[in-house]
Amino acid sequence: MLKKILKFGKWLLVGVVWTYLFVYVSLFVTVGFWNFNYLSLSDWGIISSYWNQGGSIKEAKDYFLFITLILSILLWLAGWRYFYHRDLVAMLLAPLNWYNKRMLKKYGQNASRIVLKNMGTTGKKLNPEELIEEKLKDIKSGMEQQEKNSDILREKLKERFEQKN
């Protein structure tokens, strides 16, 4: 259920943002090229009266306006679908990534780079055989220490038994 709500929220958010941007850009184009605001009822009234008085599409400019109006609906739907299937976080972070890459190109070209590798090792490197030999030496010295401790304990136990008898 929560998954459906999140999907609907994403669908709604993408739809609102995409519609706002699309309307802004498409109005800029239609007003700029044909001086036609498709959100204005007066502009649609002018076209309606022209069409009702027997007007026809004669020039290439009129064809392009008609094609633009038809294709804008398809482009709006295709854009909504396209942006719905994209990662929203990546799209929101795109300006920051762009700025970061720009700054790296601007200031990072001539800078000397420091590469830190293997920060945890400060001593000499040992090959696997030497490493195993060192571990065996540690184990042998530990075993010898345990033998000495057990010998000392045996001696103490022997002394106590002798004292009681």
Side-chain angles (χ1 to χ4, degrees):
M1 180 68 177
L2 182 63
K3 208 174 199 181
K4 288 182 180 182
I5 293 172
L6 289 175
K7 277 187 170 184
F8 179 74
K10 180 181 176 183
W11 179 80
L12 190 65
L13 177 69
V14 168
V16 167
V17 171
W18 169 244
T19 301
Y20 178 78
L21 292 173
F22 182 79
V23 166
Y24 181 77
V25 171
S26 62
L27 274 178
F28 182 75
V29 169
T30 57
V31 170
F33 286 121
W34 295 284
N35 199 19
F36 178 74
N37 183 356
Y38 61 84
L39 296 178
S40 171
L41 288 177
S42 63
D43 285 358
W44 283 107
I46 292 170
I47 288 181
S48 175
S49 65
Y50 174 74
W51 194 259
N52 289 335
Q53 292 175 1
S56 63
I57 299 175
K58 295 178 184 175
E59 298 178 16
K61 183 171 109 171
D62 298 334
Y63 280 109
F64 283 127
L65 175 62
F66 180 70
I67 290 170
T68 301
L69 291 176
I70 298 297
L71 289 180
S72 65
I73 296 168
L74 298 174
L75 184 63
W76 172 65
L77 292 172
W80 192 343
R81 182 172 183 218
Y82 174 81
F83 287 116
Y84 175 73
H85 291 292
R86 297 296 162 244
D87 185 15
L88 288 179
V89 175
M91 284 191 300
L92 292 174
L93 292 177
L96 293 174
N97 288 336
W98 170 80
Y99 181 74
N100 188 24
K101 287 178 184 177
R102 183 173 170 253
M103 288 296 117
L104 283 175
K105 281 183 182 178
K106 186 175 181 181
Y107 297 114
Q109 288 288 46
N110 298 328
S112 61
R113 298 191 183 259
I114 298 173
V115 179
L116 300 175
K117 290 185 179 179
N118 300 331
M119 291 178 59
T121 59
T122 56
K124 66 174 186 171
K125 289 187 176 182
L126 299 175
N127 63 13
E129 294 171 354
E130 292 175 349
L131 186 64
I132 291 172
E133 287 177 8
E134 281 189 19
K135 285 185 179 181
L136 284 175
K137 285 180 186 176
D138 291 341
I139 292 171
K140 285 181 183 178
S141 65
M143 288 174 64
E144 290 173 0
Q145 185 66 30
Q146 284 179 353
E147 286 179 18
K148 289 179 185 176
N149 288 341
S150 62
D151 288 340
I152 292 172
L153 284 174
R154 284 186 190 119
E155 290 294 324
K156 287 183 180 178
L157 285 172
K158 187 177 179 182
E159 289 175 8
R160 281 208 174 175
F161 282 126
E162 289 175 0
Q163 285 177 357
K164 285 189 177 182
N165 288 336

